[in-house]
Amino acid sequence: MKKAIVVGGLNLDICGLPDGELVPRDSNIGRVEMRAGGVGHNIAARLAQLGVEVELVTAIGDDAAAVMLREQLRREGVGVSLALQMHGPSCCYVSLHDADGDMAAAVNAMALMERFTPEDLPLDAINACGLCIADTNLPPAVLHALAERARIPLMLDTVSCAKAERACGVIGRFYAVKPNAAEAAMLSGESDPARAAAWFLAQGTEHVFISLGARGVYAAGKSFFGFLPAPKLSVRNATGAGDAMAAGIASALLEGLDTRSCALRGMETASRYLSGHQA
């Protein structure tokens, strides 16, 4: 399998999980988990688990969190030789979940990523890989420079509605895109996944994977258009499932599989990830 490179966010993830129903504006008994997170990191880590050689291009601070983040990446088998060491606090994401595991609220402090510039892109290293996966935590200028200068297939994870618009104007340069339903609607102006997928293809994208959460995925490409249902799972914490799906899709793209097979691999990877993170 060819090497992949991920260009995107890395942060310290702090996740609060209540033991029962979440009570707003009160202290809830539960547990707090702390680990490396960020869309770029999560995709890279899941790719490494799938046996893909992967490098993460991101911004890392010079605080205590940076030491912990680097150590976890080393244990996960994710390369960080191209990561940018910057002065300042590492990026941090704090999320609070409800009793069903869905995110109730979150705060992200990603200011360090905004200091990433187009000149920081290691284009020679990127172009030496089989696939580059980017996320929209990148500043718009960096995302646009990557889309315009990379000479290998690019895959985009749109992250959130607030950040997905950063890809406006260059979405057609991405070989594959993986938005959720809200992000796809925001970018395309189409609330129906089938029409949204058709819009992405019309821009020049070759593979579209619209995540519909627990329902499954709507996939579209040259050889397949359609909805694929997700396996039924009991989920307590859904954080990271979309990133696991992206990694599965990316690994299948590296193998040259068709759109439907990529979507199925993505759901399979997400399901395995969720099954192992419900303790």
Side-chain angles (χ1 to χ4, degrees):
M1 184 180 289
K2 298 176 183 178
K3 182 176 180 179
I5 191 163
V6 180
V7 187
L10 165 70
N11 49 256
L12 178 64
D13 244 5
I14 302 173
C15 178
L17 299 160
D19 287 342
E21 291 297 323
L22 181 67
V23 180
R25 300 182 182 277
D26 197 3
S27 178
N28 289 257
I29 296 173
R31 71 183 190 276
V32 175
E33 298 175 355
M34 188 163 54
R35 58 182 177 265
V39 172
H41 158 267
N42 294 346
I43 294 172
R46 302 294 85 76
L47 279 169
Q49 287 181 337
L50 292 169
V52 177
E53 183 182 356
V54 59
E55 191 81 21
L56 176 62
V57 180
T58 190
I60 302 181
D62 57 4
D63 54 358
V67 177
M68 189 197 84
L69 292 171
R70 284 185 179 276
E71 174 57 22
Q72 182 173 329
L73 287 161
R74 185 192 65 78
R75 294 196 307 268
E76 291 171 336
V78 176
V80 286
S81 63
L82 299 174
L84 304 172
Q85 180 82 58
M86 296 182 177
H87 176 64
S90 297
C91 297
C92 184
Y93 179 84
V94 181
S95 61
L96 185 62
H97 296 254
D98 61 25
D100 295 325
D102 290 326
M103 185 184 70
V107 175
N108 68 75
M110 304 284 288
L112 201 71
M113 283 298 294
E114 297 306 314
R115 290 161 54 191
F116 201 122
T117 70
E119 289 68 34
D120 294 321
L121 285 170
L123 287 170
D124 288 343
I126 289 170
N127 288 326
C129 294
L131 179 71
C132 176
I133 304 97
D135 73 44
T136 56
N137 284 308
L138 296 171
V142 177
L143 190 63
H144 283 233
L146 176 65
E148 292 162 358
R149 300 174 191 172
R151 297 293 177 263
I152 62 169
L154 299 173
M155 174 178 167
L156 181 68
D157 190 299
T158 48
V159 178
S160 69
C161 286
K163 292 184 176 179
E165 64 181 0
R166 296 181 176 191
C168 289
V170 292
I171 198 74
R173 292 180 177 268
F174 287 90
Y175 178 67
V177 295
K178 198 231 78 173
N180 65 21
E183 294 153 10
M186 190 280 296
L187 284 166
S188 69
E190 299 285 356
S191 59
D192 177 70
R195 290 198 294 270
W199 179 88
F200 282 106
L201 294 176
Q203 308 312 302
T205 297
E206 295 190 29
H207 301 275
V208 183
F209 307 94
I210 301 176
S211 173
L212 304 175
R215 291 170 51 207
V217 62
Y218 188 92
K222 293 179 180 178
S223 61
F224 180 81
F225 285 80
F227 168 73
L228 296 167
K232 298 296 183 182
L233 292 173
S234 176
V235 176
R236 175 166 172 76
N237 180 6
T239 300
D243 303 333
M245 175 181 283
I249 290 168
S251 71
L253 288 172
L254 275 167
E255 294 176 22
L257 301 186
D258 60 27
T259 303
R260 184 176 185 275
S261 298
C262 289
L264 291 172
R265 172 80 64 82
M267 286 194 293
E268 177 189 0
T269 305
S271 296
R272 286 204 309 269
Y273 174 80
L274 286 172
S275 296
H277 287 76
Q278 301 309 314

